[in-house]
Amino acid sequence: MGNFTFGRIRSARVTSYALTSTYKGKALDARTVGRELNVRYLVEGEVRLAGEVFIADIRLVDTGTASQVWSNRFKLERGSAEQNPGALVTPLTQNLRVALHSAERHRI
C-alpha cells in the first residue's frame, strides 16, 4: 500500500519518514518521542491484509500524557485498494483531521 501522507491536514505538522523510521520496531515512550520530535500527537498504526481485505488500525496518542485519544479501524477490499490506492488514505485522513481537532478542543 505504500506510505501514508497526512499532509492534507493543514493544522498538522508532519515529521519526515526518514526521521520517524529511526523508531521503527522499537518500544516507544510517547512522551520521549514527543519531546525528541517536538510534536504533541503521534499517529500509530499498522496495515495488514486479511484474506481479500486491507485492515488499517490507527491510533492518535497525546505525547504529553502518553494516552490514546482516538482510534479507529478502516477496512477496504483488496481490489478497491489496488484500483485506487487513495481509497484507504482519504477516509483515514478525514477521520484523523476530526480526531485532531477534537483532541485540541478537549485539551484547551
Side-chain angles (χ1 to χ4, degrees):
M1 291 281 305
N3 296 325
F4 292 119
T5 301
F6 296 108
R8 288 186 262 172
I9 302 174
R10 291 181 204 171
S11 60
R13 189 184 86 201
V14 179
T15 304
S16 74
Y17 175 77
L19 183 58
T20 58
S21 66
T22 61
Y23 297 99
K24 187 175 181 176
K26 297 179 182 176
L28 297 178
D29 173 58
R31 290 181 180 118
T32 302
V33 175
R35 275 191 309 274
E36 289 174 359
L37 298 179
N38 193 29
V39 296
R40 180 168 291 135
Y41 299 101
L42 297 176
V43 177
E44 302 175 327
E46 56 274 339
V47 178
R48 66 185 179 285
L49 184 59
E52 290 298 311
V53 177
F54 282 104
I55 300 172
D57 289 312
I58 307 298
R59 295 168 298 284
L60 182 65
V61 178
D62 181 322
T63 61
T65 62
S67 62
Q68 179 178 301
V69 295
W70 173 84
S71 68
N72 208 337
R73 174 173 282 178
F74 300 89
K75 296 180 181 181
L76 184 65
E77 294 293 323
R78 184 178 187 168
S80 297
E82 290 170 348
Q83 290 175 354
N84 179 10
L88 185 58
V89 175
T90 299
L92 198 156
T93 303
Q94 291 169 344
N95 280 263
L96 185 57
R97 178 183 300 123
V98 171
L100 280 167
H101 287 285
S102 176
E104 279 297 282
R105 277 194 309 273
H106 184 265
R107 185 183 66 82
I108 292 170

